[in-house]
Every structure is written in C-alpha cells, then in structure tokens.
Amino acid sequence: MFGLGLLARAARQHQLQCTVSRLFSSCRPLAAATDAVQQAQPREQLQYDLCIVGAGPAGLSAAIRFKQLCKEDNRDLSVCLIEKGSEVGAHILSGNVFEPRALDELFPKWSEQQGEGQAFADLPLRQKATADRFYMLTQGSSIRLPNPPQMKNRGKNYIISLSELTRWLAKHAEEQGVDVFPGFAGKEVLYDWHNAVVGVATGDMGIAKDGCRKPSYTPGVDLMARLTLFGEGARGSLSQSLMQHYGLREAAGASPQTYALGLKEVWEVPEEQHQPGLVLHTVGYPLDNSTYGGGWIYHMEGRRVSLGLVVGLDYANPSLSPYQEFQAFKRHPLVAATIVGGTCLQYGARSLNEGGLQSIPKLAFPGGALIGCSAGFLNTPKIKGTHTAMKSGIVAGEEAFRALGLADDAGKKGPITLRNYADRMEVSWVYQELERARNIRPGFSKWGLWGGMANAALSTYLLRGREPWTLKHRHADHEATKLARDCPPKDYPKPDGVTTFDIPTSLYRSGTNHNHDQPPHLVLADPGLPEVVNHPQYGGPEAKYCPAGVYEYAADEASGRPRLVINAQNCLHCKACSIKDPRQNITWTVPEGGGGPNYTIM
Amino acid sequence: MSMNPFCEIAVEEALRLRESKAVDEVVAVSLGPQQVQETLRTALAMGADRAIHVSTEQQLEPLAVAKLLAALARREQPLLCLLGKQAIDGDNNQTGQMLAGLLSWPQATFASKVELDKAASSAKVTREVDGGLETLSCQLPAVITTDLRLNEPRYATLPNIMKAKKKPIAKLTPQELGVDVTQQLVTLQVEEPAQRKGGVVLGSVAELVEKLHKEAKVI
C-alpha cells in the first residue's frame, strides 16, 4: 500500500479540475487564482488494514469477527468503520423481527451471559415473539389466513429495534479496538493504477451551497486500506459505483435488483391495546392486486408498537404515493384499533432489496467486497435481512483476517482479493435460504396478488423451493412505471392529525437534519429533464414517492410552468428516488457526514 | 452524545484565542456520567490540550455546576472561563452568571465578539442585547458566555479524532472538589403546550362577534 503510487484517480483528477474551475466563479476574485496550487495538495491519508463502510449489522459483524480472530491469533491488525449518520443507529430502520442465527455464531454464549454485570446484560433483545398472525385486508375488514411457514416467529425470534442493536454492537466493537467513526461519509472509492480498491475518501466538510469553501472548510481524508468492505445497505452510493465500475451484476449474470420502500412508525400505545410479542403481517388493502407489498404490526416491550407498510417499487401507477398508502394502512380498523389514543414517537423510511438470489452481483473485487444489503441477501418472503447481513459480515471478516494473515506471512503488500468469501457464501445457510425463497417474489410481478400467492403456496408447500426453474426479475423497478395518462390518478384523503399525518409532521419525528448550506446531494444528470419528461409524461412521480417531501413542483415565477424544487435537507436517505426515477436521472450522492435522520428506536 | 451547540462555539473561541497567542492552553471540562467523555473527546479532537471529567451520576443543577466549576477554577487558575450561554436541554442560562458571582469575577454574557488584551490583562466583549450590540471592557480573569454569532465551530477531522483518543482526560469527583451537589429543586409538573386547534372560516361579521362572545369569551 505504501509502495504503490496511489495518485489522482480519474474521479480525483476531475475533482481537482472542478476545484480549479470553481475558483474562477463569481465567488472569488481572480487574484486568488494562486490558491489553485495550494488546493492541489494531497489530502491527509490514514492507513488501516481493514476499512469498513457502514455501521450496520453487516459492517459491525465483520469488524467484531475480525477483531475476535485477531485476539485469538495474537495479531494486531487495524480496523476502522465509517458511518455517515451522526451516531451509530441514526440511519438504521428495520421492522424488526430478529432471527438470532448469526448472532449465535458471532457470540456463541450470549444467552447465558445476560445476567446483571455480565457481558451481554444490556443486549437489546428483550421481547421474544409470542404469537404470529397473518391477515388479508379489504377496505373495511380483515380475514385471518394461515401463517405462511416463513412467518413462524413464535418462541424463536425477537422483536427488536435494530437501531438499538447496532448501537450495542458498535459499543462492543469499540471495546474490541475497532475505530468507529460516526459522522463521516464515504464519498468516493479510491483505486490504484491496477484498478484495485485501495480505500475510501471521506467527504469534504464546510462547502457552501454554491460550491465555495466556507471558513469552516475541512478537507476529507483518504482512508487507505488493504481491504475495504462495503456495508452501506440497500442501494448504497459507493456500492452502486462499484457495481458500475467492475460490472459486478453482469459478471454474475444477475437480474436487475428489485426494491421496495418500507415506511415505519414506532408508537407508544395504551396498555389495553398492547400485546407484547405479537407479530402481525398483512397483505391486500391498501395496495391493489398489481402492487406488491404488505404491512406489519410488531408489539415490542414497554407499550411500544412498530408498524409499517412495505410497497414494492415496481408499481406501475406513477401517481401512487407509498407514504399515503401507509396513512391508509393506519386508517384500517385493524391497525387503527392498535394505535388510536397512542403517541407516534418516530417515523422513517428506507428502501429494501427484494431481488433475492437472482439479483446478487459478483461479491468480491480486487481490494474489497460487498456485504449485507449492499450485496442483497434479504429473504423476501420472511422479510428478514438482518441475520443474512450479519452472516455475510462474519464470513467476510473471517476471510479478510485469513487473507491479510497470509499476505503478511508471505510479505506481500498491496490490496488483497477475497477469493473465498463468495465461495463460502454460496455454500452457507444464507444461500440455502435464498434458494428456497427465490421464486416467491417474482411470481407476484408476473401474476399479481392472487397468482403470486398461488405460486408462493406451490413453491413453499409442494415443491419446497426445489423446483427446477428460477423466475427472473424481468426489468428494473423504474422501467415498470406506466405513463400518467394510462393510469387512473390516485386521490388521497387529508390526514386527521390523530393517526394519520402530513409529511412535514412525520418528518419532524424522524429527527432528520442537514446543514442546509451545502451543495444539494441529489444530482440530476439532466437538470431540464423533470420539466420535459417527469412532469408532463409521468405527472412528477418523485413528488409522490419521496417519503420526505424532498421533491416538489412549483409554478415558476417567470414562465408559470411547473418547475422541480429539491428540498435536499429533508432527505431521509431512503434511496427511493435513485431507484424509481423513470429515466434514472437522479443520482443519490452522500451529503455532508452527520446529516440525515436521527433514528433511535427504529 | 453531541456537544451543546453554544459550548461548541465556546470551545472554538478558546481555540482561536490560543491560535492568536492570547492564551497558552485550552482545558475542556464536562460534568456528569461516563457518557460525557464522548463530548470531551470531541473537544480534544477539535484541539483542546487536555480535558477534565467531573464524574457523578447525580443529576446536576446549574448552581451545582457553577460551584464545581468555581472549585476547579480556584485549582486551575485560568485567565478566562468560556461557557456556552445556555444548554439546549434545560435552557436555564444561569451557570455562567452564577460562576462569575461565586468567583467574584467580571462577566460578559451573550458574547458575539471577544478581543483579549494580554498585556493589559483585559478583555473587550461585544454582547448581543435586545436593543442591539453593547461593548464592554473587563479585567481578567473573567467569565464569558458565548452566543450564536460569535463564530462557526470547526469540524473535528478524522486524524484529530484519532489523536484525541491518546490525550489525557483527568477524572475528579464532586467530593474531591469539596462540593455538595444534592438537588435543591423539585420538578412538580411538566405539561405539553396546548394542542393547536384548526382555524374556522366564518361567513359574516355577526358570526364572528357571536363566536368571540360565546366561545372565546373575550367580549
């Protein structure tokens, strides 16, 4: 790593040029042109053996497992973990009914050490699932259906807040010597002349909206590592760039990834409405037969209830608003009965992978690998991805340790390739699970709700996932959107302020905050496209699917025509716009570190 | 746990004073349970030279904080005590003022500009007051509390965060400082503000008068 002359990558060259060209913009006098020389100075570099992007369950499991092995083998290898949220857990949102399978592998004796003063005393797994229920909802009623075998949680799994669990894992990781850095966003992947990943550059801080440097300007640093693991969650910005750079999807012959948007709230409800341990799932209302998705209500401990709606992003009607569908879900008598009289504590939204096995890209590349939802190990019929993410982190951590150890012993320097990580994942229980589940989700895209359920029953009960065919995902989510004129416009009622709310009220409950004086992080490849395509042809779908009200169409003062306004500071980092924009015109880039939602119990 | 925004401004001002050679050393102090060490690490990462953690599980009231800081000031003999004007959880805006009173030092609160004259051992502070800006001069040592427009705090960089992990944090207890921190205030009641009711569109002035008389009861 020291010997390989790392220099300006193509992207960095471009950045330097931008820096220089920015100097000639109106904000600086020409006399300051000499600053260009100073600004071309190299950024500070920090060296690590292993760098992990994202303090989610995958990244933290990888870091912890790596350090466990270091301790066993008496090797001192350095690990750093960067996280764009202001603290660990701030950007974590998940149902979550937690299957402890991977946790058991990471900490084999955790359940025996939960007594006062013991190592796992404050591990936030406090509520076991006590009952499973599955309902088909219609406009006014609910029909109880038998529980699908994938939804059998009673007595085995825990209802948790994943934000809380990641905070616990991060504390443990720090105690083991991992350098955890919240508030730092991975802005750019760093490559060397041999096209291997050699680390990650963190973003500059203190740049104003117009691109000029504020007095508080602080350049980011280059985190150089012999191995970099990317655990950014679904549709991670660096993961997307890596998939493009190395052609990871094409290399694996993978289908395009298909996503859903999950909207969630945590409520505190009156005692009589609380049934701790109840795990309830729904299909049907408010979604129509051609829109995939379903709802959940999980009763946590302490009168808290987690509820939400997952909406498949391959929906066709551009006027559909997942946020409004979620409000409709809450209005349904079954759901309203649980939350009426309660207080909504937090709100949030995040995209999740639904592509399963068919959409997993090539996992490893020179100098790094994708872990967790960045690769896409979520088991869609179970709607669980935490246990598989953690397992991928554990395997990657083990292989990273092995590979670095071998390289050290052989005196090899430079970036490492994790050859065994992908192989081991393929024979692990993760792939076994995903193999069994692989034909369920695509059946819904092909045949709608009823056909999908029939296909799911066939695959689950009769063929048990051993059918010789594999249904592919036909297209990317944005390609499924029909033109506005071909679809009935959706009309949504006003919120009542008691159980349903408008977006600004909900947004306040997400704690989302960005320094507003920074360049907007949502980048349009063609800034004129919304007025020419999105609005006239699709009715401005971004104003409908964004769960944070980032995108709005306002009448332009001069021309009177609708113009797209981007309120970037509202962003919840859910990535729906990156997924669903009809022409893929929007690229989600990472804003200044420390911004975004501040989830604590999600 | 993030640092109170006004305290961040105070740390930034202290660092700028050291950079302009007006002071020699910046010591960051925080009081409370183990978690406050994170805040101290942030201060060290921004550039403070050393940190002191007054450790206690007791809920601290502004007077207790002022007494602890006064005891520390008598030990450390600083030239200047810089505090945020108020904490955004309590919004008390009392600690700086009480500290100055206990030490019998001059105080300049809501500072929007601070100039130190080391030779003359005095400070010129511009304060934000309701009517505008007020500039006063006081002898050192003094207590200054910071307001929003004093400066924009610097970001803690990754290399500095790593260096900060090695900087020392001295630990003290209220007993060692000889201060009794038992709570003297009892919270009787906390109420949410009344829910805003929606507005109503009325049809005529007569209707308005009727509502003002019957419902709002103001006429």
Side-chain angles (χ1 to χ4, degrees), chain A residues 72-303:
Chain A
E72 279 172 33
D73 206 40
N74 234 333
R75 265 188 212 268
D76 187 25
L77 295 169
S78 56
V79 189
C80 78
L81 198 152
I82 57 169
E83 162 59 41
K84 62 172 164 58
S86 61
E87 57 167 14
V88 173
H91 291 185
I92 298 285
L93 182 152
S94 180
N96 183 304
V97 179
F98 180 69
E99 196 178 303
R101 189 168 187 179
L103 188 73
D104 294 338
E105 291 186 22
L106 194 57
F107 303 117
K109 292 208 162 54
W110 70 265
S111 52
E112 299 161 25
Q113 294 175 11
Q114 286 197 290
E116 176 126 8
Q118 290 186 302
F120 297 93
D122 49 357
L123 183 69
L125 263 63
R126 293 181 286 262
Q127 179 65 58
K128 250 206 173 123
T130 56
D132 290 291
R133 303 242 180 88
F134 186 56
Y135 288 91
M136 161 80 71
L137 301 183
T138 63
Q139 174 108 33
S141 64
S142 51
I143 307 156
R144 179 103 185 257
L145 293 177
N147 278 310
Q150 301 96 340
M151 305 285 214
K152 296 251 164 80
N153 297 292
R154 187 170 69 134
K156 294 187 296 177
N157 298 329
Y158 295 84
I159 305 177
I160 65 164
S161 154
L162 193 58
S163 309
E164 288 186 0
L165 181 60
T166 49
R167 271 203 297 283
W168 187 94
L169 288 169
K171 198 163 67 119
H172 181 91
E174 281 190 296
E175 286 164 11
Q176 303 305 304
V178 177
D179 283 338
V180 181
F181 296 127
F184 289 93
K187 188 78 178 177
E188 206 188 311
V189 181
L190 300 172
Y191 301 93
D192 69 6
W193 292 119
H194 302 285
N195 203 29
V197 170
V198 287
V200 167
T202 65
D204 293 344
M205 324 248 301
I207 298 189
K209 223 179 181 111
D210 57 7
C212 290
R213 294 178 179 183
K214 296 193 279 195
S216 56
Y217 173 74
T218 310
V221 298
D222 289 350
L223 285 164
M224 314 303 299
R226 293 154 73 195
L227 256 177
T228 312
L229 297 176
F230 295 84
E232 300 170 286
R235 200 79 174 182
S237 45
L238 296 182
S239 313
Q240 286 296 111
S241 77
L242 283 162
M243 284 194 240
Q244 237 181 327
H245 184 95
Y246 288 116
L248 296 174
R249 283 210 193 286
E250 294 77 6
S255 295
Q257 183 62 267
T258 171
Y259 302 88
L261 182 61
L263 299 105
K264 176 181 172 181
E265 283 176 356
V266 175
W267 283 68
E268 194 176 69
V269 302
E271 193 70 54
E272 55 274 16
Q273 285 153 224
H274 187 232
Q275 301 174 64
L278 174 59
V279 173
L280 194 153
H281 290 106
T282 72
V283 288
Y285 184 86
L287 301 173
D288 60 37
N289 290 349
S290 50
T291 305
Y292 181 77
W296 80 81
I297 306 177
Y298 303 151
H299 291 241
M300 305 163 76
E301 81 276 16
R303 288 199 296 127

Side-chain angles (χ1 to χ4, degrees), chain A residues 44 48 179 181 216 218 592, chain B residues 152 155 157-159 162 165:
Chain A
E44 195 162 343
Y48 279 95
D179 283 338
F181 296 127
S216 56
T218 310
E592 203 176 86
Chain B
E152 196 181 330
Y155 293 99
T157 64
L158 265 178
M162 292 190 53
K165 291 193 186 190

Side-chain angles (χ1 to χ4, degrees), chain B residues 99-159:
Chain B
L99 175 63
L102 288 168
L103 291 170
S104 290
W105 286 7
Q107 59 174 282
T109 54
F110 317 129
S112 67
K113 189 154 171 219
V114 174
E115 289 161 72
L116 240 57
D117 188 342
K118 205 170 179 187
S121 193
S122 73
K124 196 163 95 172
V125 180
T126 307
R127 305 176 60 224
E128 287 186 23
V129 295
D130 282 344
L133 297 170
E134 176 188 75
T135 307
L136 38 89
S137 148
C138 57
Q139 287 295 106
L140 298 173
V143 173
I144 298 180
T145 74
T146 64
D147 208 330
L148 204 58
R149 273 159 283 276
L150 178 58
N151 60 48
E152 196 181 330
R154 65 194 61 183
Y155 293 99
T157 64
L158 265 178

Side-chain angles (χ1 to χ4, degrees), chain B residues 18 78 95 127 132 152 155-156 174 182 202 215:
Chain B
R18 188 190 61 199
T95 310
R127 305 176 60 224
E152 196 181 330
Y155 293 99
T182 22
L202 300 173
E215 286 179 26

